[in-house]
Structures are given as C-alpha cells and as structure tokens.
C-alpha cells in the first residue's frame, strides 16, 4: 500500500487509482455511509424532534445537503487534505504541522490543546458509532413485522460482540471484501433514493439553501437544537483526512465525488420525498423507502455495512492512539 500511496502523491496511474478507491470504500466511508440509517429518523423522532411538515422536511434536507457540501466536500476533501504531514493525515498530523508553524509557546500550547480536544471528539464518535449504527440497522426488522421488536436488542448485542471478537484477531483477511460490500451498499442507497425522488421530484427544491435559512427563522432555538441530529449526517467525515496516509488523496477524492456523495444525497432526498408523501413514514424513513420484499435483505446488507463501518472506526481509534503516543501525549504503550 505504501508504494501505491507514494505514487499517488506524484500522479497516480489510472490503473491503480480504481482498486485503491474501491478499497477505500470499506474503510474511509463506512461511518458516513451508514448515517442515512438514523439521521432523518433522529431529526423527526429524537429528543429535540421537529414536526414532519413539508417546510421542515425541505429545511432539514437543505441543511444536510449543504453540510455534506461545505463540511465534507469543501473543508475535508478539497482543502484540509492538502495539509499532509509526510503523507499522513488526521487531527494529530494537523496538530503536528501547526506546532511546527509557530515559535510562540503560548500558541503552541493552545494548538496542542485543540488537537487533543479534536482527538477526544474522534474517540467519542468511535464510542457511539458501533452501537447506534448496528442498532439502527437491526431496527429495520420492526418495519418488516412488529413481532421482531423483542429481538432487536439481543440481535444487536450478538452482532456487536461478534464484531469485537473478529476485531481483536485482525481484519486483514476479510478486509478484501469490505470495498465491494460498501460499493453495493452505496449503489443500494442511490437506487432507493432515486426511486422515491422520481416519484416526488418536488423534494429537489431543498437544494435551495433558502429552505435552510427559513427553517432557522421559523424554529429558532428549536431549530438550533435540531442541528444535533443533522450533524449525524457528516459523522465520519474526518476519516477522509485521517486515512489519507493509507490510500492517498486521489483515490479518496475519486470515490467521494463519483460514488459516495451522489449516493448519500439521493438517499437523503429519497427519504425526504417519502416524508412529503407520507408523514407517517417518520417512524423509520430509511427502511420504509424499500418495498416489502426487499426489507429483510436490506436489513442484512445494512447490518453488514454497519459492522464494516464500526470496524473501520475502531481501527481508526488505534491509529489515533498510536499518533498521540508518538507525539508524547500518552505513555509509551504497545499497539497491537
């Protein structure tokens, strides 16, 4: 992989970019790729839920789209990925670059504190992602039939325990299938979303950022609190930068702009289209987009995708820990 990355930084050949971009699918985009399972559901059902009115649906969709555009596409993919520390990315690599750019002890202390705070936020994401994503995937069984409700938590616990059993033994051997599975997952997201968008094209009006502005004007403090759920759509965006050293800039950018971003956008807008047509679908808009015959296969695919996303995030936590140790902010621990 190191040879491929080195070549990428000096002009990746087209024959090598595509396989590396496919491999990146299973590691880099797992977290953000499973966010459609729960983001819209959380916005309209969570502790700061907003009513599923047409105006609110368009406002939330507009917020999600422009968050993906500005935070992930522009900030991470276009801008921050230019700041690599000898080919490595991530919050601690950025901190190391910032520390080398200043001679002021006070500024250096502030930058180090901000870098460690960012690393702590990444650990927080790593704690919640396996639980919330696996549980959201298995909850699709309730949509198939309410009889499955008592089994949702036990099945989720079995999946999570299995995930950590596999994780401690290493994932190199099964890692080869992660990319194709996630490629199929993103294709499924796009198809489900496109099917509903075509049926209710009015939802495309959410591309207008004025809907996001209007949402805040009408909901005020409640609208601001709803951002806590909207931000779920961009969790995992930092992985694009953190895993730059493993895959290179060009494969990550290619995968994001050609597959991941279009698939996510279509799926979120498809969920919005469903809510415009049937506000009662707010209970679980992701799974209620699918036809009845596809529900069980979709639950299985979603569970596989969330396991892959969780594995990638756990691995990322070890990578961040190793960087923090190398910078001297943790005792010298052995990372296996």
């Amino acid at each position: 992989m190191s040879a491929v990355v080195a070549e990428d930084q000096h002009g990746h050949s087209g024959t090598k970019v595509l396989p590396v971009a496919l491999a990146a699918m299973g590691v880099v985009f797992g977290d953000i790729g499973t966010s459609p399972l729960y983001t819209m559901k959380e916005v309209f059902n969570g502790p700061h839920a907003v009513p599923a009115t047409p105006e609110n649906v368009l406002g939330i969709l507009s917020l999600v789209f422009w968050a993906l555009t500005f935070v992930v596409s522009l900030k991470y993919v276009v801008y921050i990925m230019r700041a690599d520390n000898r080919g490595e990315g991530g919050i601690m690599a950025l901190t190391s670059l910032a520390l080398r750019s200043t001679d002021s002890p006070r500024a250096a202390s502030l930058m180090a504190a901000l870098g460690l705070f960012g690393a702590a936020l990444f650990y927080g994401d790593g704690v919640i992602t396996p639980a919330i994503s696996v549980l959201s995937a298995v909850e699709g069984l309730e949509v198939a039939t309410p009889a499955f409700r008592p089994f949702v938590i036990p099945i989720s616990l079995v999946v999570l325990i299995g995930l950590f059993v596999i994780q401690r033994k290493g994932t190199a051997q099964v890692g080869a299938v992660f990319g194709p599975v996630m490629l199929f997952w993103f294709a499924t997201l796009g198809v489900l979303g496109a099917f509903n968008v075509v049926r209710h094209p009015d939802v495309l009006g959410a591309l207008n950022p004025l809907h996001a502005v209007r949402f805040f004007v009408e909901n005020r403090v409640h609208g601001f609190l709803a951002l806590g759920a909207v931000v779920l759509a961009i969790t995992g965006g930092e992985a694009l930068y953190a895993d730059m050293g493993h895959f290179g800039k060009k494969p990550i950018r290619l995968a994001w702009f050609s597959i991941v971003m279009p698939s996510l956008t279509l799926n979120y807008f498809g969920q919005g289209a469903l809510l415009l047509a049937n506000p009662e679908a707010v209970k679980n808009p992701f799974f209620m987009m699918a036809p009845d015959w596809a529900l069980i296969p979709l639950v299985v695919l979603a569970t596989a995708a969330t396991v892959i996303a969780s594995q990638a995030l756990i691995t990322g936590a070890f990578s961040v820990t190793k960087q923090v140790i190398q910078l001297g902010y943790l005792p010298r621990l052995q990372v296996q």
Side-chain angles (χ1 to χ4, degrees):
M1 182 65 73
S2 59
V4 174
V5 173
E7 197 172 334
D8 173 63
Q9 292 168 358
H10 296 89
H12 229 314
S13 64
T15 57
K16 290 186 178 180
V17 169
L18 292 178
V20 178
L22 179 62
M25 288 274 192
V27 177
V28 178
F29 302 107
D31 188 6
I32 197 169
T34 52
S35 294
L37 282 168
Y38 46 79
T39 297
M40 295 293 284
K41 178 182 176 182
E42 188 67 19
V43 169
F44 296 106
N45 291 279
H48 304 296
V50 295
T53 63
E55 294 79 12
N56 285 344
V57 170
L58 292 177
I60 290 294
L61 281 179
S62 188
L63 285 170
V64 169
F65 173 76
W66 289 108
L68 288 170
T69 300
F70 283 115
V71 177
V72 183
S73 296
L74 295 181
K75 189 180 88 167
Y76 280 114
V77 180
V78 174
Y79 184 68
I80 294 186
M81 283 181 68
R82 298 166 60 189
D84 64 280
N85 184 19
R86 301 189 182 114
E88 293 293 326
I91 184 65
M92 298 315 299
L94 189 64
T95 302
S96 181
L97 284 174
L99 291 176
R100 291 205 297 265
S101 68
T102 181
D103 296 324
S104 168
R106 179 175 294 181
S109 298
L110 177 61
M111 290 176 182
L114 289 174
L116 292 172
F117 180 68
L121 292 177
F122 178 81
Y123 284 123
D125 190 15
V127 169
I128 67 170
T129 291
I132 190 175
S133 58
V134 170
L135 184 61
S136 297
V138 179
E139 280 178 342
L141 293 173
E142 293 185 31
V143 178
T145 170
F148 280 118
R149 180 169 303 191
F151 303 103
V152 168
I153 292 180
I155 292 174
S156 300
L157 290 173
V158 170
V159 171
L160 288 167
I161 291 171
L163 163 66
F164 281 93
V165 168
I166 295 172
Q167 183 75 31
R168 67 181 298 271
K169 294 183 178 180
T171 54
Q173 294 181 347
V174 294
V177 303
F178 286 178
V181 170
M182 291 306 296
L183 179 60
F184 185 58
W185 168 250
F186 284 116
T188 303
L189 291 183
V191 170
L192 283 176
F195 178 74
N196 284 273
V197 169
V198 168
R199 295 175 64 185
H200 306 284
D202 292 350
V203 75
L204 295 176
L207 293 171
N208 186 345
L210 289 178
H211 284 289
V213 175
R214 190 177 297 118
F215 174 80
F216 282 118
V217 171
E218 293 178 355
N219 291 278
R220 301 188 181 182
V221 175
H222 198 185
F224 179 78
L225 294 175
L227 279 179
V230 172
V231 78
L232 292 172
I234 56 174
T235 56
E238 70 282 352
L240 281 72
Y241 180 49
D243 289 311
M244 183 174 63
H246 299 294
F247 299 100
K249 302 175 186 177
K250 190 178 292 185
I252 291 176
R253 286 171 172 164
L254 174 65
W256 172 255
F257 286 115
S258 64
I259 302 292
V260 181
M261 174 70 170
S263 298
L264 291 175
T265 301
L266 279 172
N267 194 265
Y268 283 120
F269 275 69
Q271 292 186 48
L274 177 64
L275 291 176
L276 289 179
N278 178 20
E280 293 185 4
V282 73
K283 293 180 290 186
N284 201 323
F286 177 82
F287 284 104
M288 294 185 76
M289 280 197 300
D292 293 342
W293 61 265
L295 272 176
I296 299 300
L298 185 59
V299 170
V300 174
L301 177 61
T303 303
T306 56
V307 167
I308 292 172
S310 302
Q311 177 274 332
L313 203 60
I314 295 166
T315 302
F318 277 91
S319 297
V320 171
T321 302
K322 187 174 182 180
Q323 292 181 23
V324 174
I325 291 172
Q326 290 172 341
L327 290 173
Y329 295 113
L330 278 179
R332 304 295 294 182
L333 305 171
Q334 182 181 5
V335 178
Q336 297 181 346

